Amino acid sequence: MKNAVGREIPDDILKLTGKEVFHGNCYYDGYEYKKAGPRIKCVIRSGGDKLVDSIHEVLLKCEIKDGMTLSFHHHFRDGDFIVNMVMKEVHKMGIKNITICASSLGKAHDCLVECIEDGTITNIQSSGVRGKIGRAISEGKLKGLAIMRSHGGRVRAIETGEVHVDLAFIGAPTCDDYGNCRGIGGKSNCGVLSYSVVDGDYADKVVAVTDCLVPFPNFPAHISMTKVDYVVVVDAIGDPKKIAAGAAKPTKDMRKLMMAEYCTQFVINTPYFKDGFSYQTGVGGASIASTISLARIMKERGVRMRFGVGGLTKPMCDLLIDGQADVLLDTQDFDLDAVESVKDLKHYRISAGEYADPFNKGAVVNKLDFVILAALEVDVEFNCNVVIGSDGMLAGAQGGHPDTAAGAKCTIVIVPLLQGRIPVIRTEVTAVTTPGESVDVVITDYGIAINPRRRDLMQCMEKVDLPFKTIEELRDIAYSIAGEPDRVAFEDRVVGIIEARDGTVMDVVRQVKPFVFD
Amino acid sequence: MKNAVGREIPDDILKLTGKEVFHGNCYYDGYEYKKAGPRIKCVIRSGGDKLVDSIHEVLLKCEIKDGMTLSFHHHFRDGDFIVNMVMKEVHKMGIKNITICASSLGKAHDCLVECIEDGTITNIQSSGVRGKIGRAISEGKLKGLAIMRSHGGRVRAIETGEVHVDLAFIGAPTCDDYGNCRGIGGKSNCGVLSYSVVDGDYADKVVAVTDCLVPFPNFPAHISMTKVDYVVVVDAIGDPKKIAAGAAKPTKDMRKLMMAEYCTQFVINTPYFKDGFSYQTGVGGASIASTISLARIMKERGVRMRFGVGGLTKPMCDLLIDGQADVLLDTQDFDLDAVESVKDLKHYRISAGEYADPFNKGAVVNKLDFVILAALEVDVEFNCNVVIGSDGMLAGAQGGHPDTAAGAKCTIVIVPLLQGRIPVIRTEVTAVTTPGESVDVVITDYGIAINPRRRDLMQCMEKVDLPFKTIEELRDIAYSIAGEPDRVAFEDRVVGIIEARDGTVMDVVRQVKPFVFD
């Protein structure tokens, strides 16, 4: 069955998952449902602690068994030790058929491929997968399905009960003996624990894993002791050097700086650029550069930002430090400056649910004026792909892309027209993750296309001196330079689905056919 | 059927409520259950606000109807306007058979008696009731049952689904147009919103009522926009003069000062009085005086408090200011100094659930060393009554009494031996609210009794120069002065139940017989 972005979703996948096809961003607006509830084991006795000696012992206490769903958060990014530490033990115990429900998985987790190959892990739910795991899934090694969810969509899936987490593992930079976790302090400081809040709220068993035990009460707790069953102290939960190394340095690439300047010029010519506006940007070089150039114009014109949201980096935190932004709302820290900034009294932690969940009573993304995003591919309907590489391999993550794009009044995607010799703007994307209805402007190094749905923005830009083109013109330029890209050859087998934030199917991920020379 | 504190609980009440009799504090320790979930109406569309013009309109939007359960919090105490504002409108609309589920009800709500009499309100669930409502219930005017719950017990009842709240009203000193509520700021500053956190989490519809609308985002939110359906702006949500007027001034009553001194001497001679101890005290004159005298000795001996908990007052906040306590954990502010202290970075808000809920994975009360409490009556089994006056009328509230008493390693109850001409220490209390197994020491102006269950404490006190007596001796002195009190004459009809924190029945409240002269 074809969905609202024109992707054919096989009926057997709809039947297997019980899902609907994507019907458009607001299809579920106003929908009523009953939230799920976890199983709780009461702790009424006074005193005591929840300390358990090892991961092995805590798995026994949690009565680990075949078929369980284990959840993890990704605030330690490429420096994460928790997933491997737990799964190594699960593997050793001979447990099979585990579903991993992670807020994201990355290069730190390459060694899980062994667990995928031998059936320890049979299902993966994540914002995305990179490195060897992505390749393993795309090559058909995962026995079950990979489900790629946005950050908001993950919260939705857990709170509706679509996913029931049996055991949640929360890596805590500091924790007390009763389970109060903070993202701050210790040797693996990651700033916030936003993605794991929903795990604490909905998992049956919650295990805090820390390498820095502190006196009770470790307040203000980012995850409360009231949600935590056990605390395990280990030598190290992460590699500090890799935790906050995600963000690009301010770019010197002239092409990126040019796109950043286009972006800033576009932003300031919209009606949303006024005192009290709100803003989010990604961590790409051009995005970061555009924050820096926007800050300059804000200062010149005396325009203040009411709130900045993210996935935060130094340039966003500088806005707070320089008094150009009233507050920051933080779900994740990409660099050490952002981790450090969490101490600022106007730098507030928010949960992934507060940030982006489409199934609560209103998330922060609904209040965004601007979001500046990147993409792997954009098609002529403005649909974006951020999950599958142009070679067909799973290699990216939805993150907050579909959430912020849907919420923001003005969604700007900055992409180079070509990535190497591969057209980024194209007739058809390899997979759709963010629907074109969410994307208002695409900025490339060869020109800027406004989504025809946004006549209002086109009107605003009538007298603005920027290289506007249609999206088809941009595609044609790309094709004229690099040729029309061949379609990736896929097998029939569906190895994963790309879920829309409301749980419908945006697209499927198919097994990649081994490349054969003609 | 007789329960663990020897109270006869009528079978028909057990049948009617589906409850068990109280079996002892730790009967439910380790019990597993599935948490309830509210019905949520998703807000996916971007932008917009949740503002509604009036209480009347919001009741219509929430589809108010006969038989619904409406919930309220009591942080505005005697200055609360919210309950009356909402119930006046419900009354005007002719809605009947409402259950009020309040964290507490007091003198501010006398006018609800009319709603009770005409069947608008037929059930009341509260920590306690004072003033005319208490009298109305004790006189049999409420058609259904009054259920008196501790602060922790209320959270338990809501999160287990025993009570399902249809509409929660949260009075918010400040709120933005998307429903982010804070207990801080505005003209009705109450400091914290701790009791209403569970309402936000579990009610189907949540209405924030504010008299101070502030720009989005009103962060850090004490109740998140993700829980709030509607925001109503009214002229005033409370009378600031009565909001924080609950606490007694430091007493000059020599009898209370003497009991306070006994208490301090007792505390410092226990093994729990050492660096890093934790402490909670009530708002009675003797309790407050004991905090002041304890602070003096802490300073002399260089003993620091790790954390103080409460229901907070100036003397507790002074410990923080003077650097004698590391942190304060706050559920309610009784005076303006406490409200002001919330701004201190080491003065942390906690929810009622974090504070005292017996059905989560461990509450703060479980970590208490000392709690200093008051009572209306204490029997020779150390059972306390804090809810029914010795005239048989409902006139008090459980508050956190049973929660902290159960949790603390050393629970001290300070009472005068006689209240006027009425023995406080007696063979039998008019009702049991806190079981004797929770109460370790009773301090009176005529002597101190240690609960025989606590041989360890008796041993600690062997060489301490305090006027120790048995509880029976204290009772005998009381009776020798004022005579043995007559039992209050009750009708057979049960008008309410006193719930133990785990939801079992601690005692029943019967209709009072009109007094007849012999």
Side-chain angles (χ1 to χ4, degrees):
Chain A
M1 190 179 173
K2 239 180 198 157
N3 70 10
V5 289
R7 307 297 285 194
E8 186 64 44
I9 311 301
D11 289 340
D12 54 343
I13 284 297
L14 297 174
K15 211 167 162 188
L16 179 75
T17 59
K19 289 184 171 297
E20 293 178 85
V21 298
F22 176 64
H23 280 90
N25 276 343
C26 283
Y27 180 62
Y28 272 96
D29 188 38
Y31 171 68
E32 292 192 30
Y33 73 100
K34 194 173 181 310
K35 277 193 175 177
R39 287 198 68 77
I40 298 289
K41 188 169 179 179
C42 310
V43 178
I44 300 181
R45 64 196 176 280
S46 63
D49 62 45
K50 303 174 181 178
L51 291 173
V52 174
D53 279 341
S54 66
I55 298 288
H56 178 77
E57 203 185 316
V58 91
L59 287 169
L60 291 177
K61 275 186 178 286
C62 293
E63 299 172 27
I64 178 94
K65 58 171 187 276
D66 292 1
M68 275 190 167
T69 297
L70 273 55
S71 83
F72 301 93
H73 67 95
H74 74 288
H75 291 97
F76 303 122
R77 308 178 53 77
D78 288 345
D80 178 58
F81 289 170
I82 304 277
V83 173
N84 297 352
M85 188 187 298
V86 172
M87 289 313 299
K88 200 178 135 190
E89 197 54 47
V90 170
H91 190 253
K92 215 194 285 178
M93 291 166 86
I95 306 293
K96 296 288 174 187
N97 196 21
I98 291 295
T99 295
I100 298 286
C101 175
S103 57
S104 207
L105 292 171
K107 284 184 285 182
H109 310 118
D110 280 354
C111 71
L112 293 194
V113 170
E114 194 187 337
C115 290
I116 292 171
E117 288 175 340
D118 74 0
T120 305
I121 297 170
T122 48
N123 289 279
I124 289 179
Q125 306 178 354
S126 177
S127 164
V129 285
R130 296 173 206 266
K132 291 187 182 167
I133 299 178
R135 186 162 288 272
I137 295 169
S138 284
E139 288 172 348
K141 290 180 178 166
L142 188 72
K143 293 191 179 54
L145 268 184
I147 303 181
M148 302 293 116
R149 294 194 171 103
S150 73
H151 289 328
R154 179 175 191 263
V155 178
R156 177 206 57 74
I158 295 175
E159 74 186 347
T160 57
E162 183 182 319
V163 188
H164 180 76
V165 177
D166 296 298
L167 266 71
F169 290 86
I170 298 178
T174 59
C175 187
D176 63 36
D177 67 0
Y178 222 43
N180 289 298
C181 301
R182 277 162 62 76
I184 286 284
K187 33 186 186 170
S188 306
N189 194 343
C190 62
V192 300
L193 294 174
S194 307
Y195 298 124
S196 56
V197 171
V198 69
D199 305 68
D201 285 347
Y202 289 93
D204 285 345
K205 294 287 175 194
V206 177
V207 179
V209 185
T210 190
D211 52 12
C212 183
L213 194 70
V214 298
F216 180 93
N218 186 28
F219 265 40
H222 303 172
I223 305 290
S224 168
M225 63 191 180
T226 61
K227 317 284 173 75
V228 175
D229 293 277
Y230 302 111
V231 178
V232 182
V233 182
V234 297
D235 290 339
I237 56 174
D239 178 353
K241 286 195 294 291
K242 294 182 183 168
I243 289 173
K249 294 263 176 301
T251 186
K252 288 178 180 171
D253 180 332
M254 286 310 295
R255 200 182 49 155
K256 287 184 183 166
L257 288 172
M258 181 177 70
M259 292 193 286
E261 191 52 37
Y262 289 169
C263 179
T264 297
Q265 287 305 317
F266 192 94
V267 163
I268 64 174
N269 281 291
T270 66
Y272 314 120
F273 182 69
K274 58 180 186 221
D275 224 40
F277 78 107
S278 58
Y279 180 84
Q280 174 167 351
T281 180
V283 292
S287 298
I288 287 180
S290 76
T291 305
I292 295 169
S293 72
L294 185 64
R296 203 184 54 236
I297 292 183
M298 286 168 62
K299 197 172 274 176
E300 284 167 17
R301 303 200 182 172
V303 172
R304 282 178 67 78
M305 187 184 291
R306 175 58 187 154
F307 63 96
V309 189
L312 295 177
T313 55
K314 183 176 188 300
M316 288 292 281
C317 299
D318 285 345
L319 289 173
L320 189 65
I321 292 168
D322 297 345
Q324 294 186 267
D326 290 347
V327 300
L328 294 181
L329 307 180
D330 185 355
T331 60
Q332 184 173 194
D333 297 314
F334 288 107
D335 57 30
L336 285 175
D337 295 274
V339 169
E340 192 57 26
S341 171
V342 175
K343 294 176 191 160
D344 189 294
L345 289 179
K346 296 289 183 182
H347 182 140
Y348 301 119
R349 301 175 307 278
I350 53 174
S351 67
E354 288 176 296
Y355 170 47
D357 173 18
F359 270 35
N360 65 25
K361 295 171 180 178
V364 164
V365 295
N366 298 0
K367 288 283 201 179
L368 269 178
D369 289 320
F370 298 100
V371 65
I372 319 296
L373 297 165
L376 298 170
E377 300 172 340
V378 183
D379 73 17
V380 289
E381 302 295 330
F382 289 79
N383 298 310
C384 295
N385 164 27
V386 296
V387 162
I388 305 191
S390 298
D391 59 353
M393 295 290 178
L394 276 165
Q398 294 209 49
H401 200 286
D403 302 307
T404 53
K409 292 195 184 72
C410 181
T411 298
I412 299 174
V413 172
I414 305 183
V415 285
L417 192 70
L418 299 163
Q419 193 65 269
R421 290 289 299 170
I422 300 168
V424 172
I425 310 292
R426 43 171 62 208
T427 306
E428 198 178 32
V429 286
T430 308
V432 177
T433 48
T434 301
E437 67 168 301
S438 301
V439 177
D440 302 309
V441 191
V442 174
I443 294 178
T444 76
D445 40 351
Y446 284 77
I448 300 170
I450 300 176
N451 192 326
R453 289 179 184 87
R454 295 303 302 270
R455 293 243 172 99
D456 57 330
L457 286 177
M458 286 181 165
Q459 276 174 349
C460 293
M461 297 300 152
E462 266 169 8
K463 289 175 185 168
V464 176
D465 183 24
L466 281 171
F468 289 106
K469 297 201 160 51
T470 67
I471 190 86
E472 290 83 3
E473 286 169 343
L474 290 176
R475 174 205 52 196
D476 292 345
I477 300 170
Y479 284 10
S480 73
I481 298 171
E484 185 169 347
D486 287 338
R487 286 185 149 205
V488 181
F490 288 109
E491 308 278 359
D492 277 346
R493 186 184 161 213
V494 170
V495 294
I497 57 180
I498 295 168
E499 222 180 69
R501 52 196 305 250
D502 62 7
T504 57
V505 182
M506 186 67 77
D507 212 336
V508 295
V509 184
R510 289 179 195 271
Q511 189 171 332
V512 172
K513 241 184 204 159
F515 187 77
V516 182
F517 287 94
D518 287 334
Chain B
M1 191 182 173
K2 237 179 199 158
N3 70 10
V5 289
R7 307 299 285 195
E8 186 62 45
I9 311 300
D11 289 340
D12 54 344
I13 284 296
L14 297 174
K15 211 167 160 188
L16 179 74
T17 59
K19 289 184 172 296
E20 293 179 85
V21 297
F22 176 65
H23 280 90
N25 276 343
C26 283
Y27 181 62
Y28 273 96
D29 188 39
Y31 170 69
E32 292 192 32
Y33 73 100
K34 194 173 181 312
K35 276 193 176 179
R39 288 199 68 79
I40 298 289
K41 188 170 179 180
C42 310
V43 178
I44 300 182
R45 65 195 176 278
S46 64
D49 62 46
K50 302 175 182 178
L51 291 173
V52 173
D53 278 342
S54 66
I55 297 290
H56 178 78
E57 201 185 318
V58 91
L59 286 169
L60 292 177
K61 276 186 177 287
C62 293
E63 299 173 25
I64 177 95
K65 58 171 187 274
D66 292 359
M68 275 189 166
T69 296
L70 273 55
S71 83
F72 301 92
H73 67 94
H74 74 288
H75 291 96
F76 303 122
R77 306 179 54 75
D78 288 346
D80 178 59
F81 289 170
I82 303 276
V83 173
N84 296 353
M85 189 187 296
V86 172
M87 290 313 300
K88 200 179 136 189
E89 197 54 46
V90 170
H91 190 253
K92 213 194 284 178
M93 291 166 86
I95 306 292
K96 296 287 174 187
N97 195 21
I98 291 293
T99 295
I100 298 285
C101 176
S103 58
S104 208
L105 293 171
K107 283 185 286 183
H109 311 117
D110 281 353
C111 71
L112 293 194
V113 171
E114 195 187 337
C115 290
I116 292 171
E117 288 174 342
D118 74 1
T120 306
I121 297 169
T122 48
N123 289 281
I124 289 179
Q125 306 179 355
S126 176
S127 163
V129 285
R130 298 173 205 268
K132 291 186 183 168
I133 299 178
R135 184 162 290 270
I137 294 170
S138 284
E139 287 172 349
K141 290 179 178 166
L142 188 72
K143 294 193 177 53
L145 268 184
I147 302 182
M148 302 293 116
R149 294 195 171 103
S150 72
H151 290 326
R154 179 174 190 264
V155 178
R156 177 205 57 74
I158 294 174
E159 72 186 348
T160 57
E162 183 182 318
V163 188
H164 179 76
V165 177
D166 296 298
L167 266 72
F169 290 86
I170 298 179
T174 59
C175 187
D176 63 36
D177 67 0
Y178 222 43
N180 288 298
C181 302
R182 278 162 61 77
I184 286 283
K187 34 186 185 170
S188 306
N189 193 343
C190 61
V192 299
L193 293 174
S194 306
Y195 297 124
S196 56
V197 171
V198 69
D199 306 69
D201 285 346
Y202 290 92
D204 285 346
K205 293 288 175 194
V206 177
V207 178
V209 185
T210 190
D211 51 13
C212 182
L213 195 70
V214 298
F216 180 92
N218 186 29
F219 265 38
H222 303 172
I223 306 289
S224 168
M225 63 191 179
T226 61
K227 316 286 173 74
V228 175
D229 293 277
Y230 302 111
V231 178
V232 183
V233 183
V234 298
D235 289 339
I237 55 174
D239 178 351
K241 284 194 295 292
K242 295 182 182 169
I243 289 172
K249 293 263 177 299
T251 185
K252 289 178 180 172
D253 180 332
M254 287 310 295
R255 201 181 47 153
K256 288 183 184 167
L257 288 172
M258 182 177 69
M259 292 192 287
E261 191 52 36
Y262 289 168
C263 179
T264 298
Q265 286 305 317
F266 192 93
V267 163
I268 64 172
N269 281 292
T270 66
Y272 314 120
F273 181 70
K274 58 180 185 224
D275 224 42
F277 77 106
S278 57
Y279 180 84
Q280 175 168 351
T281 180
V283 291
S287 298
I288 287 179
S290 76
T291 306
I292 295 169
S293 71
L294 184 65
R296 202 184 55 237
I297 294 184
M298 287 166 63
K299 196 171 273 177
E300 285 167 17
R301 302 198 183 174
V303 171
R304 282 177 66 80
M305 187 184 292
R306 175 59 186 153
F307 64 94
V309 190
L312 295 178
T313 55
K314 181 175 189 302
M316 288 292 280
C317 298
D318 285 345
L319 289 173
L320 190 65
I321 293 167
D322 297 344
Q324 294 187 268
D326 290 347
V327 299
L328 295 181
L329 308 180
D330 185 355
T331 59
Q332 183 172 194
D333 297 314
F334 287 107
D335 57 31
L336 285 175
D337 295 275
V339 169
E340 192 57 26
S341 170
V342 175
K343 293 177 191 161
D344 189 293
L345 289 180
K346 295 289 183 182
H347 181 140
Y348 301 119
R349 301 175 308 276
I350 53 174
S351 67
E354 287 176 293
Y355 171 47
D357 173 19
F359 270 35
N360 64 26
K361 295 171 181 178
V364 163
V365 295
N366 298 0
K367 287 284 201 178
L368 268 178
D369 288 321
F370 299 100
V371 64
I372 319 295
L373 297 165
L376 298 170
E377 300 172 339
V378 183
D379 74 16
V380 290
E381 302 295 330
F382 291 78
N383 297 310
C384 295
N385 164 28
V386 296
V387 162
I388 305 190
S390 298
D391 59 352
M393 294 290 179
L394 277 166
Q398 294 209 49
H401 201 286
D403 301 308
T404 54
K409 292 195 185 71
C410 181
T411 298
I412 300 174
V413 173
I414 305 182
V415 286
L417 193 69
L418 299 163
Q419 193 64 269
R421 289 288 300 170
I422 299 167
V424 172
I425 310 293
R426 44 171 62 207
T427 306
E428 198 178 32
V429 286
T430 308
V432 176
T433 48
T434 302
E437 66 168 301
S438 300
V439 177
D440 302 309
V441 191
V442 174
I443 293 178
T444 76
D445 41 351
Y446 284 77
I448 301 170
I450 301 176
N451 191 326
R453 288 178 184 88
R454 295 301 302 270
R455 292 243 172 100
D456 57 329
L457 287 176
M458 286 180 166
Q459 276 173 349
C460 293
M461 298 300 151
E462 266 170 8
K463 289 175 184 169
V464 176
D465 183 25
L466 282 171
F468 291 106
K469 297 200 162 49
T470 67
I471 190 87
E472 290 82 4
E473 285 170 342
L474 290 176
R475 173 204 53 196
D476 292 344
I477 300 171
Y479 285 10
S480 73
I481 298 171
E484 185 170 345
D486 287 336
R487 285 184 148 204
V488 181
F490 289 109
E491 308 278 359
D492 276 345
R493 187 187 160 211
V494 171
V495 295
I497 58 179
I498 296 169
E499 221 180 69
R501 53 197 304 252
D502 63 7
T504 57
V505 183
M506 186 66 78
D507 213 336
V508 295
V509 184
R510 290 179 193 272
Q511 188 171 332
V512 171
K513 241 183 203 162
F515 186 77
V516 183
F517 287 95
D518 288 334

